[in-house]
Amino acid sequence: MELSWFKKGTIYQIYPRSFNDSDNDGIGDLRGIIEKLEYLKSLNVDILWLSPIFSSPNDDNGYDISDYCAIMPEFGTMDDFDELLEKTHNLGMRLILDLVANHCSDEHRWFTEAKKSKDNPYRDYFHWQQPAEDGGPPNNWMSFFGGSAWEYDHNSGEYFLHLFTKRQPDLNWENPKVREEIYEAMRFWLDKGVDGFRMDVIPLISKREGYPNAPDIGFRKILEDVYANGPRLHEYLQEMNKEVVSKYDAFSLAEGVGINHNNAGLYIDYDRKELDMLYHFDILECTIVNGKFEEASVFDLVNMKSIFKKWRDAVHQKGWLANAMGNHDFARMVSRFGNDEQYWSESAKMLLIMQSTQNGTLNIYQGDEIGMTNIVLDSIDDVRDVQSLNFYNENLKTKKHSNTSALEMINREGRDNARTPIQWNSEINGGFSEKEPWLKVNSNYKTINVEKQDNDPHSILNFYRHLLKIRKEHDVFVFGEFEELDFNNSNLYAYKKVLGEDEIIVILNFGDFQNDCKVSESALKGKVLINNYSDMKIYEDTIRLKPYQGVILKV
Ligand code: GLC
């Protein structure tokens, strides 16, 4: 077993735009992060992942990069970045950046050049195709954010490919110059000392030859078989690893879009030398039926257990996963998997117990450490996320749902839920900024905020700190062999983890009512390492768990 630092370390994702605004312009920034480094250290997290901080016109909040080696002016300067990196390292933490290499911004020089003419040297940095016979797009590929994935360019009479917004043209990885440009950018940051990259939609970089039409097999299958996992993908990833990442003490974390448990090994098996770990979408999407903004979400605990299990079995001893239950692309964790009203605090804590004892690197998202919840936006004018806006505007045309229902869906599943500014205190704008923030602060900031929880020993925040500390002291949390107990129980999630002499038993009640769990004698005699309530009722061989109670027993 390789005990690399990135396996045991906890990753904390920062969405800089919403983290902390130091210059009061309503937008979070790098100096805002610097101001909060001690806070981050106090959480006992080890690796900070910054969502993109590079120059960008922000059509998709930085996931549309116009210069890979420059800092977005709204976020600060290169000096600010250097200071942030140095101070992060001085505090014993690491820093990884978000590499968006499948596409860039339409304002990137590569694209403004490419658009000039068909024989421009940058033309081949992108995917251009002649119109179909009827003048329409060359094939039926759809953008992830709605509409055709092809945009017509009047100047040249050709279409270019964009799997995301039309302002995010896909880069042509077939072109070795494109690959070298990306590797150069990676080296630029690695030479500065960054500790790795989260790799945005990396499974999409190799396109299928001839751009064949997608068959009618449902979005998930199309994603896997048509957009992701292209023919030269693994060649590129091996090259990237060999040429760049392996030369540094750095790691890669892939966004596993379009990867399933059967092909995951191709990306992360140790002997393939491609990527160090990935987070998949099966857990993140397990409450979403038929894709975002479709049907009401459903949570089924046995289904969640089986997802964890199939992934655990698939990568067992061969590769490594990151374990994420929330990020900037999904609604808030406690609102989706817990009970964000009556059992808000209990369920937020219980979810962390589960997440921190699953296999893989723990990956937490900003604000979850204080149990931030979904927001209710009353008007479409308050929505900022391009995916939600595209859905709303498309729906205005198709009239599939009423406007009220469309807004309700956005409030339930939209990405803005996770992007509202961090609630630091009960002052104006939750202490995030003195100026009106770019996206509304959740109106519950007076009850849910860092300052309040900092002073409360029973808060979610202090529970996170405590649990992450305990996790560091017990390798069994991370590396233990996992054994399910009572798999088919639809209210309780109970399991054992064993590493050498060390054994822990984890019991989680997902119900908002009490539940009994029979346990072995040795477990009953064990020490309670973690409990999200102040007590634990035992009757003979049974533990009676309160709503959303979670315990870790050390046997
Ligand atoms: C990833 C990012 C998401 C972004 C998309 C396009 O899924 O996490 O925020 O919109 O890629 O770059």
Side-chain angles (χ1 to χ4, degrees):
M1 185 193 319
E2 245 187 285
L3 284 171
S4 304
W5 53 267
F6 56 77
K7 289 188 173 174
K8 275 188 78 171
T10 294
I11 301 175
Y12 181 95
Q13 182 192 350
I14 296 179
Y15 196 70
R17 205 169 191 76
S18 303
F19 190 68
N20 183 34
D21 177 14
S22 73
D23 59 359
N24 291 312
D25 63 353
I27 295 170
D29 45 50
L30 298 181
R31 300 217 69 80
I33 303 173
I34 295 174
E35 282 174 7
K36 299 292 181 186
L37 280 175
E38 294 285 346
Y39 166 75
L40 292 164
K41 181 70 187 170
S42 83
L43 298 176
N44 294 316
V45 300
D46 308 278
I47 302 161
L48 307 180
W49 149 21
L50 302 188
S51 274
I53 53 166
F54 318 103
S55 282
S56 165
N58 285 306
D59 191 47
D60 187 17
N61 286 357
Y63 285 90
D64 47 322
I65 297 173
S66 54
D67 184 342
Y68 286 83
C69 296
I71 302 288
M72 186 192 307
E74 283 173 333
F75 286 177
T77 64
M78 196 59 87
D79 284 347
D80 295 334
F81 176 79
D82 292 340
E83 186 178 329
L84 170 61
L85 182 61
E86 193 187 336
K87 290 194 165 152
T88 303
H89 284 163
N90 288 346
L91 284 168
M93 295 184 288
R94 313 257 187 163
L95 188 84
I96 66 170
L97 297 180
D98 211 319
L99 180 78
V100 188
N102 173 68
H103 45 267
C104 61
S105 156
D106 64 347
E107 292 187 21
H108 196 293
R109 196 174 70 87
W110 302 334
F111 193 69
T112 55
E113 281 295 318
K115 268 181 81 167
K116 286 185 179 159
S117 68
K118 285 189 187 167
D119 55 10
N120 186 283
Y122 289 95
R123 187 75 175 178
D124 216 20
Y125 274 42
F126 299 91
H127 298 269
W128 298 95
Q129 284 291 293
Q130 289 290 324
E133 269 173 25
D134 63 359
N139 71 14
N140 66 356
W141 292 7
M142 298 292 289
S143 149
F144 283 66
F145 294 159
S148 168
W150 297 93
E151 181 71 9
Y152 187 64
D153 170 46
H154 287 275
N155 186 33
S156 61
E158 288 187 333
Y159 281 85
F160 67 86
L161 178 68
H162 61 88
L163 289 177
F164 294 88
T165 76
K166 61 181 182 208
R167 301 205 49 199
Q168 294 169 294
D170 279 49
L171 286 161
N172 176 14
W173 274 67
E174 296 269 327
N175 182 346
K177 285 195 204 135
V178 167
R179 307 207 292 276
E180 199 36 56
E181 300 261 20
I182 297 290
Y183 302 160
E184 266 309 294
M186 292 170 77
R187 288 184 197 110
F188 173 84
W189 296 104
L190 289 165
D191 287 339
K192 275 186 176 288
V194 309
D195 301 288
F197 294 98
R198 177 262 186 183
M199 299 195 174
D200 189 69
V201 295
I202 200 76
L204 308 182
I205 57 178
S206 165
K207 311 296 188 239
R208 285 183 169 70
E209 215 184 312
Y211 311 99
N213 267 330
D216 190 10
I217 47 177
F219 182 73
R220 175 81 202 227
K221 272 302 265 172
I222 296 179
L223 171 57
E224 290 179 10
D225 296 354
V226 181
Y227 303 143
N229 308 306
R232 295 188 62 191
L233 172 68
H234 296 291
E235 176 195 330
Y236 300 153
L237 293 178
Q238 281 169 17
E239 182 182 85
M240 184 197 264
N241 184 272
K242 184 162 164 263
E243 299 290 322
V244 191
V245 182
S246 65
K247 301 210 157 119
Y248 297 81
D249 181 22
F251 78 102
S252 53
L253 158 66
E255 183 189 22
V257 67
I259 302 181
N260 61 43
H261 64 289
N262 291 318
N263 65 10
L266 295 174
Y267 290 80
I268 51 169
D269 278 358
Y270 301 129
D271 55 6
R272 290 182 58 86
K273 303 202 176 349
E274 294 192 13
L275 298 164
D276 293 304
M277 60 172 109
L278 66 82
Y279 67 84
H280 60 80
F281 277 56
D282 287 355
I283 292 291
L284 286 162
E285 285 185 336
C286 78
T287 66
I288 299 173
V289 189
N290 267 335
K292 252 186 196 174
F293 308 138
E294 286 293 335
E295 295 167 34
S297 43
V298 183
F299 177 69
D300 171 351
L301 180 59
V302 177
N303 178 42
M304 179 186 261
K305 293 184 197 179
S306 56
I307 295 172
F308 276 126
K309 179 166 172 9
K310 78 180 177 195
W311 277 89
R312 206 163 49 231
D313 293 348
V315 303
H316 189 62
Q317 304 283 353
K318 291 183 296 189
W320 196 250
L321 291 176
N323 171 10
M325 305 246 343
N327 62 37
H328 64 295
D329 291 330
F330 290 90
R332 279 285 172 188
M333 172 164 109
V334 67
S335 302
R336 298 179 62 202
F337 302 111
N339 173 329
D340 65 5
E341 291 174 350
Q342 194 182 353
Y343 296 109
W344 161 71
S345 171
E346 292 81 359
S347 62
K349 292 173 185 167
M350 188 203 68
L351 288 168
L352 181 70
I353 300 179
M354 176 175 76
Q355 221 197 328
S356 63
T357 48
Q358 291 292 334
N359 290 13
T361 297
L362 175 60
N363 185 174
I364 58 183
Y365 179 65
Q366 70 175 32
D368 282 345
E369 78 273 21
I370 55 165
M372 280 178 64
T373 62
N374 281 355
I375 189 172
V376 179
L377 297 170
D378 300 323
S379 150
I380 191 66
D381 298 337
D382 294 330
V383 174
R384 295 286 174 272
D385 171 32
V386 68
Q387 183 183 40
S388 299
L389 290 169
N390 282 0
F391 159 71
Y392 191 87
N393 291 331
E394 194 56 31
N395 187 64
L396 287 179
K397 289 186 222 148
T398 62
K399 298 210 177 0
K400 189 168 165 198
H401 312 279
S402 69
N403 292 352
T404 317
S405 310
L407 189 59
E408 266 168 28
M409 287 179 208
I410 290 173
N411 279 327
R412 193 181 64 222
E413 283 174 354
R415 305 194 297 181
D416 283 337
N417 280 308
R419 299 176 177 188
T420 60
I422 294 289
Q423 299 158 206
W424 292 104
N425 55 42
S426 54
E427 285 157 33
I428 184 161
N429 300 319
F432 166 76
S433 175
E434 282 166 21
K435 196 180 150 208
E436 176 89 6
W438 70 278
L439 170 66
K440 281 201 163 164
V441 177
N442 197 314
S443 58
N444 61 19
Y445 70 90
K446 291 209 165 127
T447 41
I448 301 181
N449 66 59
V450 171
E451 191 177 85
K452 196 164 167 201
Q453 294 195 25
D454 203 17
N455 298 323
D456 171 5
H458 304 296
S459 66
I460 301 171
L461 177 59
N462 282 317
F463 188 82
Y464 263 67
R465 288 171 169 150
H466 177 62
L467 180 39
L468 295 189
K469 175 166 176 286
I470 299 280
R471 188 176 191 266
K472 278 186 204 292
E473 293 161 0
H474 294 85
D475 278 356
V476 62
F477 279 52
V478 186
F479 299 108
E481 281 294 323
F482 199 104
E483 192 188 312
E484 295 278 355
L485 306 169
D486 201 6
F487 184 77
N488 292 317
N489 191 318
S490 55
N491 296 309
L492 287 180
Y493 195 3
Y495 45 92
K496 191 197 255 195
K497 290 193 90 172
V498 182
L499 183 71
E501 301 281 284
D502 290 336
E503 177 176 329
I504 52 168
I505 303 243
V506 182
I507 311 171
L508 311 164
N509 178 12
F510 271 79
D512 45 16
F513 37 82
Q514 70 180 31
N515 258 304
D516 287 349
C517 182
K518 269 201 167 66
V519 288
S520 66
E521 206 177 313
S522 54
L524 278 181
K525 284 201 200 122
K527 178 178 166 209
V528 181
L529 265 188
I530 295 289
N531 181 358
N532 64 347
Y533 276 79
S534 53
D535 62 347
M536 186 181 84
K537 293 264 177 307
I538 301 177
Y539 299 93
E540 295 168 359
D541 59 352
T542 300
I543 297 179
R544 174 156 296 169
L545 294 123
K546 295 188 178 138
Y548 291 101
Q549 184 161 21
V551 292
I552 304 180
L553 309 173
K554 174 127 173 48
V555 180

